[in-house]
Amino acid sequence: MAIIAMKFGGTSVADIERIRHVATLVKREVERGNKVAVVVSAMAGETNKLVAWTNDAAKPEGANLAAMPDQREYDVVVAAGEQVTCGLLAIALNAIGIKARSWLGWQVPIHTSAVHGSARIEGVPAVEMTKAIEGGEVA
């Protein structure tokens, strides 16, 4: 019995039908006896939409000039795409009988440098998530 990580990009989780397909792939690994952690991207097109919204919100009303959004808030908005996908996948997994939970970076926690937009991971003391995976829950 191995602990495996599975990664699915935006086109793999582009809509609910594809998310359900990913759930069946994860279920197959669980049924083989593996402990599974899944990493997902935002659904196809979502990141581009969120980036456009941040850029639009940063422009003063009526201005034609591009404006740079605050980088901390940019990160908050853009991260929402992955948050939606991981929540939907956890829901889909639970619906097919696989115990699953979504984990956000602050819940793990993932420690990074303070460079918004291009932070580097400095450590991942994932004690609680590891306990959940060891207990048979898909993270």
Side-chain angles (χ1 to χ4, degrees), residues 45-90:
E46 287 302 305
T47 300
N48 290 342
K49 178 174 72 175
L50 294 169
V51 168
W53 284 352
T54 64
N55 292 335
D56 193 35
K59 280 193 254 180
E61 191 170 342
N64 291 327
L65 301 173
M68 288 295 297
D70 177 89
Q71 291 302 287
R72 181 187 63 225
E73 302 308 332
Y74 172 92
D75 286 352
V76 169
V77 172
V78 175
E82 284 81 8
Q83 292 176 24
V84 168
T85 307
C86 71
L88 290 172
L89 179 58

Side-chain angles (χ1 to χ4, degrees), residues 4 6 21-34 36 93 96 98:
I4 64 170
M6 302 175 79
H21 175 70
V22 165
T24 63
L25 298 175
V26 172
K27 180 179 183 178
R28 187 178 314 154
E29 291 302 326
V30 171
E31 289 173 341
R32 289 179 179 157
N34 293 311
V36 182
L93 284 163
I96 60 173
I98 299 299

Side-chain angles (χ1 to χ4, degrees), residues 61-138:
E61 191 170 342
N64 291 327
L65 301 173
M68 288 295 297
D70 177 89
Q71 291 302 287
R72 181 187 63 225
E73 302 308 332
Y74 172 92
D75 286 352
V76 169
V77 172
V78 175
E82 284 81 8
Q83 292 176 24
V84 168
T85 307
C86 71
L88 290 172
L89 179 58
I91 290 168
L93 284 163
N94 282 297
I96 60 173
I98 299 299
K99 188 176 176 185
R101 177 193 164 178
S102 62
W103 291 84
L104 304 181
W106 66 270
Q107 295 170 307
V108 172
I110 298 174
H111 298 287
T112 66
S113 62
V115 183
H116 293 286
S118 61
R120 299 282 182 212
I121 294 174
E122 295 176 344
V124 186
V127 176
E128 293 302 315
M129 186 174 70
T130 301
K131 285 182 194 174
I133 293 169
E134 289 295 334
E137 184 175 85
V138 172

